[in-house]
Amino acid sequence: MAGATSGETRGLHEGILRRQSARESSARTYARALPIVPVRARGLTIEGADGRRYLDCLSGAGTLALGHNHPVVLEAIRGVLDSGAPLSVLDLATPVKDAFVTELFRTLPPGLADRARVQFCGPAGTDAVEAALKLVRAATGRSGVLAFAGAYHGMTAGALAVSGGAPDVQAARLPYPQDYRCPFGIGGPAGAELAARWAESLLDDPKSGVPLPAGMILEPVQGEGGVIPAPDDWLRRMRRLTADRSIPLIADEIQTGVGRTGAFWAVDHSGVTPDVMVLSKAIGGSLPLAVVVYRDDLDTWQPGAHAGTFRGNQLAMAAGTATLAYVRENALAERAAVLGSRMLTRLADFGREHACVGDVRGRGLMIGIELVTPEPEQREPGAPECGGPDGLGGAGDPAGCGGGRGADPGTRGVPDARTAPTAPGMPMAPAARTPYPPAPGLAAAVQRECLRRGLIVELGGRHASVVRLLPPLTISDEQAEAVLDRLTDALTAATRDHETHGPDRQRHPGADRRAG
């Protein structure tokens, strides 16, 4: 703080945190793991009340596509304020809203933009999910929903019911394909094929107990589920499966949209055109905004069938228009693809040298590092000791400890049998494999070590054992290197302490939290 002594800034910082702890709900999440008090921010950088500077790779849980206080966003907001335009207008038409819808439709996947309708909802992504579920039920006359294990769609009742942490079963749950913790134990194309066959069987079996649903909702990349990208072939398979059975496909692009994954929308990677898209976070340019975009033949709602007082947020629409246009005009999605690939490569190289890194994965600038506990006594009986650095298989994995990404330190002694026989018509599959147990305590320690080094990261995954990076799309090459330097240094320090004091035994207290 300008003109303040270090003691004064520290006192201000501690006093605010103390009052927050005393007065705010116990449901608060980020404030527990990240005890900072932001007072200024620009781009990737946050300055705290204590005078410290941080590189922010949380970015408002993916909300800040352009980082903090980007000039085009501030200019758009000031333009509305200076114009004397109303700030909240319910669902009335305004020039600001018209510009936003025009820019949004310009970015939509081919096949949707020409026949799209948009519904403005309450200000949060979970509101858009609720509206989407309500929409497909009204349009189809059916009530059931297909959702996926590990999903996260929000914290309101309907959105929570189709999320992985649902307390009650109100949706049919399908397996989401992934390599590292494949539900079928094989990963790769064969694991994705089995997941697709399971979904198809569930729908076509008259005795499955799952009647034809009102819709299927999925994330093209599961974020809170652990940064798990859906294979493009599998996503295309889900599109064919739903289209053939007249089941509306809902793509939840709340966190993946606006260039985050290396394409403007994550479904663009696979060429899939969903029937419904739920959008929030980055589309408001850092301000609260949520919409549902859907195919016009689903627009069976009567006037007033869905409403919300704060669906007319003019400042958010202006900020959103500026953000959408800036990302499109400056090819930031393509930039995210290139830089994200470079960051993933460096982290994967680091992981091959550290046994506690089970998997490195992601798409674009949506990156996850899953941490594990590779205890020797947990190896399968008769499994060989790994022969590479730190007990890992080296190049070619001569000790036979690979698990799907070369010398995979996070998979317990299994042969890399890529020519294992499969059923006719299925791709060749690796042998079954068992990943090491998750290490949520280690992940929490890495988060703390990052904060000490001035780096803000988030945790996610089923057991909060995945360290997540969501930097702004405007991050420079130099800043990306600084983020990786601090992260790998924190990983090394936390891992060293972890190995010194024994394997992870305690669940991180924030393991069940979800992003807002």
Side-chain angles (χ1 to χ4, degrees), residues 362-443:
R363 201 157 202 176
L365 290 175
M366 192 171 181
I367 296 171
I369 305 101
E370 181 163 351
L371 302 180
V372 297
T373 303
E375 299 177 85
E377 66 270 20
Q378 290 180 318
R379 291 194 180 97
E380 295 176 352
E385 293 288 332
C386 297
D390 295 329
L392 306 181
D397 200 16
C401 294
R405 63 177 181 94
D408 187 342
T411 305
R412 290 182 254 174
V414 291
D416 191 10
R418 300 218 172 254
T419 56
T422 62
M426 287 184 64
M428 302 307 285
R433 52 197 176 145
T434 305
Y436 286 126
L442 175 58

Side-chain angles (χ1 to χ4, degrees), residues 29-388:
T29 56
Y30 300 108
R32 294 181 185 276
L34 302 169
I36 61 175
V37 180
V39 292
R40 276 183 291 273
R42 187 66 174 254
L44 180 69
T45 305
I46 285 178
E47 182 180 336
D50 59 354
R52 293 195 63 198
R53 292 179 181 271
Y54 302 87
L55 301 181
D56 181 13
C57 280
L58 175 57
S59 298
T63 300
L64 304 170
L66 305 184
H68 294 276
N69 293 323
H70 193 280
V72 301
V73 172
L74 297 182
E75 181 181 1
I77 293 172
R78 289 191 187 103
V80 174
L81 293 174
D82 293 342
S83 73
L87 300 184
S88 186
V89 292
L90 301 174
D91 65 356
L92 300 179
T94 70
V96 173
K97 178 194 276 190
D98 185 63
F100 172 79
V101 173
T102 299
E103 184 60 42
L104 175 62
F105 277 34
R106 185 177 291 166
T107 71
L108 293 177
L112 182 58
D114 292 341
R115 52 180 306 191
R117 295 289 184 271
V118 60
Q119 170 72 32
F120 287 82
C121 310
T126 190
D127 300 315
V129 171
E130 295 282 353
L133 297 175
K134 185 175 175 181
L135 170 76
V136 297
R137 285 170 173 145
T140 64
R142 303 189 291 263
S143 60
V145 179
L146 295 176
F148 289 87
Y152 176 71
H153 298 292
M155 293 301 289
T156 50
L160 187 60
V162 293
S163 298
D168 300 306
V169 179
Q170 299 180 32
R173 204 72 56 175
L174 299 172
Y176 192 92
Q178 56 175 305
D179 285 336
Y180 187 63
R181 297 192 186 277
C182 173
F184 305 103
I186 55 177
E193 171 67 17
L194 287 175
R197 289 194 179 198
W198 179 271
E200 190 170 7
S201 173
L202 197 72
L203 287 170
D204 293 345
D205 181 355
K207 296 296 184 181
S208 69
V210 179
L212 195 66
M216 172 189 285
I217 184 167
L218 58 78
E219 300 159 277
V221 181
Q222 286 194 343
E224 302 306 308
V227 192
I228 304 172
D232 290 337
D233 285 342
W234 175 84
L235 197 53
R236 286 188 282 266
R237 181 78 169 270
M238 292 300 101
R239 173 67 285 188
R240 290 194 300 271
L241 184 153
T242 52
D244 290 347
R245 293 158 181 81
S246 298
I247 302 169
L249 177 64
I250 305 168
D252 182 340
E253 292 261 14
I254 290 170
Q255 191 167 97
T256 55
V258 195
R260 169 63 54 191
T261 68
F264 207 97
W265 307 108
V267 293
D268 292 340
H269 292 289
S270 60
V272 162
T273 300
D275 303 299
V276 183
M277 294 175 67
V278 289
L279 312 174
S280 188
K281 291 192 185 292
I283 67 157
S286 76
L287 298 178
L289 187 65
V291 301
V292 183
V293 179
Y294 53 91
R295 215 178 56 236
D296 55 6
D297 61 309
L298 296 173
D299 195 22
T300 61
W301 273 339
Q302 297 300 309
H306 193 77
T309 301
F310 292 106
R311 55 193 157 140
N313 187 337
Q314 297 279 277
L315 291 181
M317 291 176 193
T321 302
T323 298
L324 292 168
Y326 192 90
V327 170
R328 178 179 56 80
E329 292 168 359
N330 291 276
L332 291 191
E334 293 82 352
R335 161 76 175 161
V338 172
L339 183 56
S341 178
R342 193 184 309 154
M343 294 175 74
L344 281 167
T345 297
R346 180 171 164 187
L347 288 169
D349 290 342
F350 176 87
R352 277 188 280 272
E353 301 296 323
H354 293 79
C356 288
V357 177
D359 194 29
V360 175
R361 55 183 180 256
R363 201 157 202 176
L365 290 175
M366 192 171 181
I367 296 171
I369 305 101
E370 181 163 351
L371 302 180
V372 297
T373 303
E375 299 177 85
E377 66 270 20
Q378 290 180 318
R379 291 194 180 97
E380 295 176 352
E385 293 288 332
C386 297

Side-chain angles (χ1 to χ4, degrees), residues 373 375 377-378 438-442 498 501-508:
T373 303
E375 299 177 85
E377 66 270 20
Q378 290 180 318
L442 175 58
H498 178 76
H501 296 95
D504 185 76
R505 296 295 186 189
Q506 287 189 324
R507 183 177 174 82
H508 173 49

Side-chain angles (χ1 to χ4, degrees), residues 428-513:
M428 302 307 285
R433 52 197 176 145
T434 305
Y436 286 126
L442 175 58
V446 169
Q447 186 182 45
R448 290 192 296 271
E449 291 292 340
C450 283
L451 199 62
R452 291 191 184 104
R453 289 160 176 78
L455 176 63
I456 298 171
V457 298
E458 171 59 332
L459 303 182
R462 268 63 162 185
H463 304 280
S465 60
V466 178
V467 177
R468 301 182 58 204
L469 296 178
L470 290 166
L473 308 187
T474 52
I475 184 174
S476 69
D477 290 348
E478 294 75 18
Q479 288 174 326
E481 287 301 312
V483 166
L484 294 178
D485 286 344
R486 296 183 194 192
L487 175 58
T488 53
D489 188 50
L491 280 162
T492 300
T495 299
R496 186 186 306 116
D497 185 67
H498 178 76
E499 292 171 346
T500 301
H501 296 95
D504 185 76
R505 296 295 186 189
Q506 287 189 324
R507 183 177 174 82
H508 173 49
D512 288 322
R513 64 188 174 173

